Amino acid sequence: MLGGGSWATALTKILSENGSRVHWWMRSKDDVQHLLRTRHNPRYLSSVALDLDRVLPTTDLKEAVEAADWLVLAVPAAFVQSALDKLDRDALKGKRIISAIKGMIPGKNVLVTDYVAERFRLPHTRLGVVAGPCHAEEVALEKQSYLTIGSPDAELAEDFCRLLRNRYVKANPATDLDGIEYCAVMKNIIALTGGIAHGLGYGDNFLAVLVSNAVQEMRRFAHALNPQPRDLSGSAYLGDLLVTAYSQFSRNRTFGHMVGRGYSVKSAQLEMNMIAEGYYAVKSIYEINRKLQVSMPITTAAYNILYEKISPAIEIDLLKEKLK
């Protein structure tokens, strides 16, 4: 497990309680020492008690990777390169890789799985992605949750599903790796934009229209990139979008709400003390779409607010005229 955040903590809880040994890499020595003393992550989901017979925290990335059969990526997308570039290009040979990151590599504008495949010379059949709808906070409370594991290798997807399934987690395999991963990135943009609107005083009626238009925007974009039959009403697509757009636990919605209330991007980031992947995703998706020229009014509005510094009130007022 790579990453010390809430999602890494939730997945470590599930996997270890299901019987897996989890070599858990975290950057912070203090956090590792705290875990070893108390069995709790001091920063995220600190109510979760972990079994240290099965959870092995470490700051030694190479040691953790060498000891594991599976590598689960749960660091923010902006930190993937700095973490993985410490490894040799053959370090992941023979491993199976699961991305639990719902973001893109900033600057490169590529999916996390595409970056890993290129950097470590791996076929995409060795890769998979975790999709929701599933908030780490509800996993900590052991509330009923559903996950989808997307991979072009059906056996890999099913094998990881088996590692996750328990009395409160259901997991199902799927083959649409790119579609699931791109939609997971885009739903953060939608949630962020909905948060901006909410911060400006728009209500549930507007958010419902925003989300229904967002499904169409996601469909157009995914089809332009990788045309294949996919049902966006499925839980890995629409379900993940809904929970991120509406939930009190959604950091992207919270970040957007703060921007809508008048916070600067930097002040919102500092106050949250968490990464809102949608902020970086907006720029990546917008730049990819410069070539595709797909109609994406919601993404464009978010980009104009966050990167062109256009007033949120003005931009959302323009957006509402484009929604149906």
Side-chain angles (χ1 to χ4, degrees):
M1 182 68 62
L2 270 62
S6 56
W7 197 210
T9 306
L11 288 170
T12 296
K13 167 185 166 63
I14 295 168
L15 292 164
S16 61
E17 290 180 357
N18 284 356
S20 295
R21 284 170 62 84
V22 182
H23 299 266
W24 190 2
W25 176 79
M26 307 170 80
R27 289 189 301 169
S28 169
K29 290 182 181 179
D30 289 342
D31 289 357
V32 168
Q33 290 303 315
H34 189 278
L35 256 167
L36 291 170
R37 286 196 313 271
T38 70
R39 302 189 300 137
H40 297 270
N41 185 340
R43 297 174 186 270
Y44 302 97
L45 303 188
S46 54
S47 64
V48 173
L50 296 158
D51 180 357
L52 294 182
D53 289 333
R54 295 192 180 279
V55 177
L56 310 171
T58 180
T59 57
D60 190 326
L61 177 61
K62 292 180 181 179
E63 179 184 276
V65 170
E66 286 174 3
D69 299 317
W70 294 86
L71 180 63
V72 181
L73 306 175
V75 297
F79 302 144
V80 169
Q81 277 189 270
S82 60
L84 294 185
D85 282 357
K86 298 184 179 79
L87 298 173
D88 295 336
R89 295 199 71 180
D90 293 328
L92 305 188
K93 188 175 181 180
K95 311 288 183 186
R96 296 199 278 184
I97 321 300
I98 298 292
S99 174
I101 303 167
K102 298 179 179 181
M104 302 185 73
I105 307 296
K108 290 183 176 292
N109 298 339
V110 297
L111 296 172
V112 172
T113 54
D114 288 339
Y115 165 74
V116 172
E118 180 182 356
R119 171 70 175 77
F120 296 98
R121 297 174 294 202
L122 297 173
H124 280 79
T125 51
R126 303 296 295 178
L127 299 162
V129 63
V130 179
C134 189
H135 280 306
E137 292 81 359
E138 290 200 353
V139 170
L141 296 169
E142 299 189 357
K143 291 184 176 291
Q144 186 65 57
S145 301
Y146 293 76
L147 292 169
T148 299
I149 307 302
S151 174
D153 186 313
E155 184 178 353
L156 179 148
E158 176 56 30
D159 286 349
F160 199 70
C161 284
R162 280 197 291 268
L163 295 177
L164 293 171
R165 292 181 185 125
N166 61 25
R167 64 180 175 78
Y168 61 91
V169 175
K170 294 186 180 296
N172 295 295
T175 57
D176 182 22
L177 176 64
D178 283 356
I180 288 172
E181 199 167 2
Y182 271 115
C183 288
V185 170
M186 288 189 66
K187 56 94 180 180
N188 287 332
I189 299 172
I190 307 309
L192 191 156
T193 309
I196 292 172
H198 189 263
L200 289 166
Y202 289 80
D204 291 345
N205 293 344
F206 179 78
L207 184 58
V209 173
L210 182 78
V211 169
S212 61
N213 277 261
V215 175
Q216 300 169 48
E217 187 163 314
M218 290 164 64
R219 180 181 291 112
R220 289 191 295 267
F221 185 75
H223 183 77
L225 280 168
N226 181 12
Q228 63 170 278
R230 53 173 64 93
D231 181 6
L232 292 196
S233 66
S235 62
Y237 309 97
L238 179 60
D240 209 2
L241 170 60
L242 290 174
V243 77
T244 308
Y246 283 93
S247 175
Q248 61 178 321
F249 296 125
S250 170
R251 66 189 66 178
N252 289 283
R253 178 186 163 102
T254 300
F255 175 80
H257 183 266
M258 294 170 74
V259 171
R261 291 289 301 273
Y263 283 72
S264 69
V265 167
K266 180 168 281 190
S267 61
Q269 289 172 326
L270 288 171
E271 183 157 326
M272 284 182 64
N273 193 31
M274 297 176 83
I275 298 292
E277 293 279 18
Y279 171 71
Y280 301 100
V282 167
K283 192 169 189 289
S284 292
I285 297 295
Y286 181 84
E287 289 180 350
I288 290 170
N289 195 46
R290 280 178 172 167
K291 295 179 181 178
L292 298 175
Q293 292 295 300
V294 173
S295 173
M296 300 183 71
I298 301 172
T299 300
T300 301
Y303 178 85
N304 287 341
I305 292 167
L306 298 177
Y307 290 94
E308 298 295 342
K309 312 301 183 189
I310 294 177
S311 159
I314 292 172
E315 192 63 38
I316 296 299
D317 196 49
L318 292 171
L319 175 62
K320 73 182 185 183
E321 297 304 319
K322 300 172 185 176
L323 303 180
K324 298 178 181 178

